[in-house]
């Protein structure tokens, strides 16, 4: 499943949903959580079921829904309404660890059976850093549940948990607590053997800032990112695609190691390359289908 740019769409806005379908995002995340006011949640959930039915069929984007978190008591009702043919995945906010993935998976499985969805089809994307407890449970995503598609992280809710007045420095970079959350999300995902997606970039008019931020994300190991506005999707996809130079170097590295099967380290153009570089080169080529 492609996870480069996943666009959030409030689940109570049919207008935005209609627009979002044509944007070219790898997935749409219809949101039942924070972008829908409490009084609108039941109607949004019921409306979503019809949209999922209508979208069931060949299309080039995945249909995700962000459900309400377990502590609201709304999660099961959300799942009952939306697990049906056409749904590809659930985004679980405010998850507290691997046990929440298992709990969610146990709720999804019988609904898949009842509605005739292929068992295991509905995947899970976890927002892994939104509670204080979550920060201490990041190792628990390994071994990964078969439904676990990726981990991502969130700064806003975590800030509210600790009472932060801001989460960014004057230059726009994350303050220490959020850098820690972001880094631990990356390591937790690698530990579980699933991809990591960077959190959203909230200033949706700042295309240059988004580009710079995504290039940093890709450099650090994230494979994609959440989007909140249609204008962000193409920029994210461009920034996460390997450059021509990256691809050329990756091909050179793989070719050099294949030509020298006995070597664990070798030089290309005056630089040393060893097995971690070979792994990364293979990953770069895999990301473009080579
Ligand atoms: N999905 C689909 N369409 C969207 C969209 C989205 N996420 N965000 C904006 N649009 C549409 C608008 O409806 C508008 O359409 P129109 O030209 O047909 O009127 C167009 O894109 C331009 O929108 P713009 O005026 O720039 O933004 P806005 O002020 O209308 O909306 C937000 C700003 C933040 C409210 C909106 O981008 C949004 O709802 N984002 C998603 C929020 C969300 O789901 N958050 C949960 C995760 S944190
Ligand atoms: Mg939130």
């Amino acid at each position: 499943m492609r996870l480069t740019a996943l666009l959030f769409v409030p689940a109570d806005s049919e207008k935005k949903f209609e627009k979002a379908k044509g944007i070219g995002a790898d997935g749409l995340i219809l949101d039942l959580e924070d972008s829908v006011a409490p009084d609108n949640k039941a109607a949004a959930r019921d409306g979503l079921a019809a949209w999922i039915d209508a979208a069931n069929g060949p299309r080039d984007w995945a249909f995700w829904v962000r459900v309400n978190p377990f502590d609201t008591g709304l999660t099961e009702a959300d799942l009952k309404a939306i697990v049906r043919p056409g749904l590809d995945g659930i985004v679980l906010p405010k998850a507290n660890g691997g046990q929440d993935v298992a709990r969610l998976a146990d709720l999804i499985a019988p609904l898949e059976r009842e509605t005739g969805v292929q068992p295991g089809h509905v995947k899970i994307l976890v927002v892994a850093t939104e509670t204080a407890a979550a920060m201490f449970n990041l190792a628990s995503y390994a071994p990964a549940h078969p439904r676990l598609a990726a981990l991502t992280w969130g700064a806003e809710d975590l800030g509210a948990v600790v009472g932060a007045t801001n989460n960014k420095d004057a230059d726009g970079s994350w303050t220490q607590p959020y850098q820690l959350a972001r880094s631990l999300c990356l390591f937790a995902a690698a530990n579980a053997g699933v991809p990591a997606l960077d959190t959203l970039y909230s200033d949706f008019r700042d295309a240059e800032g988004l580009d710079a931020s995504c290039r940093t994300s890709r450099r650090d190991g994230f494979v994609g990112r959440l989007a909140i506005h249609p204008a962000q999707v193409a920029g994210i996809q461009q920034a996460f695609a390997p450059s021509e130079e990256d691809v050329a170097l990756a091909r050179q590295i793989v070719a050099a190691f294949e030509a020298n099967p006995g070597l664990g380290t070798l030089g290309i153009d005056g630089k040393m390359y060893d097995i971690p570089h070979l792994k990364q080169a293979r990953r770069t080529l895999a990301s473009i289908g080579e």
Side-chain angles (χ1 to χ4, degrees), residues 33-34 66 94 130 156-157:
E33 197 209 8
D34 289 342
R66 182 166 76 169
K94 300 184 179 73
E130 290 189 312
E156 306 306 328
D157 290 277

Side-chain angles (χ1 to χ4, degrees), residues 125-154:
L125 166 60
V126 166
V127 192
T129 66
E130 290 189 312
T131 73
M135 294 298 296
F136 297 95
N137 292 334
L138 286 162
S140 65
Y141 291 104
H145 192 283
R147 289 188 195 266
L148 186 64
L151 296 186
T152 187
W153 71 285

Side-chain angles (χ1 to χ4, degrees), residues 100-250:
D100 280 351
V101 175
R103 180 175 170 192
L104 182 61
D106 287 348
L107 292 169
I108 293 171
L111 295 170
E112 278 181 339
R113 278 197 296 277
E114 277 166 34
T115 58
V117 175
Q118 192 195 335
H121 176 78
V122 176
K123 298 293 183 276
I124 297 173
L125 166 60
V126 166
V127 192
T129 66
E130 290 189 312
T131 73
M135 294 298 296
F136 297 95
N137 292 334
L138 286 162
S140 65
Y141 291 104
H145 192 283
R147 289 188 195 266
L148 186 64
L151 296 186
T152 187
W153 71 285
E156 306 306 328
D157 290 277
L158 192 58
V161 163
V162 296
T165 57
N166 203 342
N167 52 26
K168 296 265 181 73
D169 275 325
D171 68 355
S173 57
W174 294 113
T175 58
Q176 265 300 321
Y178 309 94
Q179 287 186 28
L180 177 71
R182 179 178 178 278
S183 300
L184 286 176
C185 170
L186 203 53
F187 291 122
N191 185 45
V194 299
L197 309 184
D198 209 350
T199 196
L200 55 93
Y201 188 83
S202 60
D203 190 354
F204 57 81
R205 306 256 186 255
D206 178 13
E208 243 175 68
L210 174 68
D211 182 67
S213 172
C214 289
R215 288 178 193 279
T216 304
S217 310
R218 186 172 101 79
R219 177 202 68 192
D220 290 346
F222 291 97
V223 305
R225 182 152 208 176
L226 307 176
I228 49 163
H229 191 284
Q232 296 184 315
V233 168
I236 292 174
Q237 287 167 333
Q238 258 164 36
F240 277 96
S243 67
E244 279 176 29
E245 297 83 60
D246 293 339
V247 171
L249 178 61

Side-chain angles (χ1 to χ4, degrees), residues 7-10 15-17 19-20 31 35 66 200 204-205 228-230:
L7 174 63
F8 270 115
V9 183
K15 177 175 165 264
K16 285 181 184 167
F17 179 51
K19 188 177 181 96
D31 182 32
S35 69
R66 182 166 76 169
L200 55 93
F204 57 81
R205 306 256 186 255
I228 49 163
H229 191 284

